[in-house]
Amino acid sequence: MRTLDDLDVKGRRVLVRADLNVPLDGETITDDGRIRASVPTIKALLDGGAKVVVCAHLGRPKGQVNPKYSLKPVARRLGELLGQDVAFAADVVGDSARSTVESLQDGQVALLENLRYEPGEESKDDAARGAFAEQLAGLAELYVGDGFGAVHRKHASVYDVPKLLPHAAGGLIVAEVEVLKKLTEDLERPYVVVLGGAKVSDKLGVIANLLTKVDRLLIGGGMAYTFLKAQGHEVGGSLLQEDQLDQVRGFLEEAAKRGVELVLPVDVLAATTFAADAEHEAVEATAIPADREGLDIGPRTRELFAAKLADARTVFWNGPMGVFEFDAFSGGTRAVAEALIAADAFTVVGGGDSAAAVRKLELPEDGFSHISTGGGASLEYLEGKTLPGLAALEE
Ligand code: 3PG
Ligand code: MG
């Protein structure tokens, strides 16, 4: 993969595909982790005398202009972090984008409006995607792929534009791939993976593949209830994916056959309703009352998971253990994060909600070997899939 060192950027217009998909509360950015992670590459290009045109998506506006998903607040924050103005184009490839890009001087930067306002960006039709990619590529002379969180998407800005312009991988993608390689080649054992999050259906591929690689797999979060149910326990009103029960039974059998320790919650915090102030108590995972729903792993499970992480040499963690957005149900996620910090291991937090949780719970980011910016992208890499955005950069 070519890197920034292989590009001569001085005086050239460089299109950077970044992942600036940050959570917003109105116009307030609630976690700027992805913006901060994007700064070094943009800064390196600016220092190299490039005219930098950043493009990115925010949320899922599905091909339509929708002010709720505007990147405008991101442009402001990016400017603060760079310590210089970021010109903001009010469209993606229209008049505003063209004139904004044309007025850039060497060492100046612009951000285009949300790529996903354009139906071509995500189109499944190669021709439609290609046509939009041509317009986007027309804004620049060189392309730098640095939006790690989106490399698993076969989208115009990720997959098609690098076919049209001389290209290289930015520093963030290089760093993320290096970490993922360490998780897949010559890793130190015990290798323990912790998975959480709401839906087991999002993680079928990665679980199947991890069962051939890991020593232990700890399962918490909403997806744990489908495992408990598959073992024959009632889960009350907890999250449950009935249609995944057969699949999950298969995983339980496969783990047993392979000697992989698959560790499930032994107790959960069962609440009367899904709310921050819901009445709740710790109950056995095998005896969740019918009128309650599990919103976090319980205290005995926190200890159990910490013990299973204590001697690990390599850890990958993706997905919260409970509804960490509610303080009362953030303890399980905190306990797992603290166990990673305590372990004498190469520890990777796999993007998305788990990375947001680390910051929301104000845990020290340097307590982990790496906090990824890409949830879905990390999972698909560990699943062994070819990621379109990485493949395009390698060509
Ligand atoms: C993410 O948030 O996972 C990435 O930015 C990709 O976004 P997407 O899941 O909407 O494609
Ligand atoms: Mg995601």
Side-chain angles (χ1 to χ4, degrees):
M1 214 153 48
R2 277 177 302 276
T3 67
L4 294 188
D5 294 337
D6 303 311
L7 287 187
D8 185 8
V9 302
K10 193 165 173 33
R12 318 280 298 276
R13 281 193 313 276
V14 183
L15 182 71
V16 179
R17 186 9 166 141
D19 181 7
L20 304 176
N21 187 23
V22 291
L24 287 177
D25 180 6
E27 290 190 11
T28 307
I29 296 161
T30 53
D31 176 18
D32 68 357
R34 280 180 165 159
I35 310 179
R36 284 188 284 126
S38 303
V39 163
T41 293
I42 296 171
K43 195 140 185 40
L45 291 166
L46 292 170
D47 290 347
K51 303 173 173 74
V52 179
V53 182
V54 182
C55 65
H57 75 278
L58 187 98
R60 294 176 175 169
K62 306 216 159 94
Q64 268 168 13
V65 175
N66 180 342
K68 211 176 115 191
Y69 298 106
S70 174
L71 277 168
K72 188 128 202 226
V74 173
R76 225 174 292 130
R77 182 72 187 125
L78 181 60
E80 285 166 15
L81 291 165
L82 286 168
Q84 74 180 77
D85 269 359
V86 174
F88 184 67
D91 56 29
V92 190
V93 289
D95 290 344
S96 176
R98 278 193 301 271
S99 67
T100 305
V101 168
E102 260 156 42
S103 63
L104 285 180
Q105 305 292 313
D106 295 358
Q108 292 187 338
V109 52
L111 174 63
L112 306 178
E113 185 51 287
N114 193 340
L115 288 162
R116 292 188 183 173
Y117 282 2
E118 290 286 338
E121 167 68 357
E122 298 178 85
S123 177
K124 298 251 185 302
D125 172 27
D126 290 349
R129 233 181 34 249
F132 173 61
E134 296 269 1
Q135 288 180 288
L136 204 51
L139 296 172
E141 299 154 276
L142 302 170
Y143 173 90
V144 170
D146 210 31
F148 176 71
V151 289
H152 58 315
R153 304 291 183 213
K154 192 177 173 185
H155 292 169
S157 65
V158 175
Y159 178 75
D160 302 273
V161 178
K163 299 190 186 311
L164 301 172
L165 293 174
H167 54 267
L172 178 61
I173 283 197
V174 170
E176 294 272 13
V177 170
E178 205 174 297
V179 166
L180 288 166
K181 279 209 174 117
K182 272 181 95 165
L183 289 179
T184 42
E185 297 162 9
D186 318 314
L187 53 91
E188 280 192 57
R189 293 180 181 277
Y191 177 24
V192 184
V193 170
V194 189
L195 293 179
K199 289 192 184 158
V200 65
S201 55
D202 289 344
K203 304 209 163 87
L204 298 176
V206 78
I207 293 173
N209 199 40
L210 285 173
L211 285 175
T212 69
K213 309 264 187 300
V214 300
D215 300 298
R216 281 176 213 137
L217 182 58
L218 318 187
I219 307 258
M223 63 190 271
Y225 302 101
T226 302
F227 280 82
L228 291 168
K229 178 84 179 181
Q231 287 189 325
H233 309 302
E234 288 311 319
V235 296
S238 308
L239 272 181
L240 174 65
Q241 286 188 288
E242 294 267 7
D243 56 339
Q244 303 298 328
L245 284 170
D246 281 341
Q247 182 84 41
V248 166
R249 272 184 213 110
F251 290 149
L252 291 167
E253 278 164 28
E254 183 71 14
K257 203 168 82 198
R258 289 186 174 271
V260 169
E261 228 185 306
L262 199 151
V263 188
L264 296 175
V266 292
D267 62 347
V268 308
L269 294 190
T272 49
T273 170
F274 186 90
D277 59 356
E279 199 189 307
H280 61 276
E281 63 182 340
V283 302
E284 293 299 296
T286 53
I288 303 173
D291 58 349
R292 299 227 169 188
E293 58 183 303
L295 295 187
D296 196 5
I297 55 173
R300 287 204 300 120
T301 305
R302 296 173 198 180
E303 272 176 39
L304 174 68
F305 282 13
K308 297 291 178 191
L309 286 160
D311 66 340
R313 293 291 295 153
T314 304
V315 183
F316 175 77
W317 168 38
N318 177 284
M321 297 293 102
V323 188
F324 73 93
E325 296 86 346
F326 299 157
D327 288 343
F329 304 104
S330 64
T333 301
R334 177 185 292 282
V336 162
E338 284 172 348
L340 260 74
I341 294 172
D344 179 19
F346 180 65
T347 54
V348 180
V349 181
D353 285 341
S354 11
V358 163
R359 292 185 282 262
K360 155 133 205 304
L361 300 175
E362 295 180 359
L363 294 154
E365 287 182 67
D366 60 5
F368 305 88
S369 307
H370 181 73
I371 301 180
S372 174
T373 53
S378 301
L379 291 172
E380 289 200 17
Y381 188 102
L382 294 181
E383 185 178 337
K385 278 195 178 167
T386 300
L387 307 185
L390 295 183
L393 288 175
E394 261 149 24
E395 275 168 30

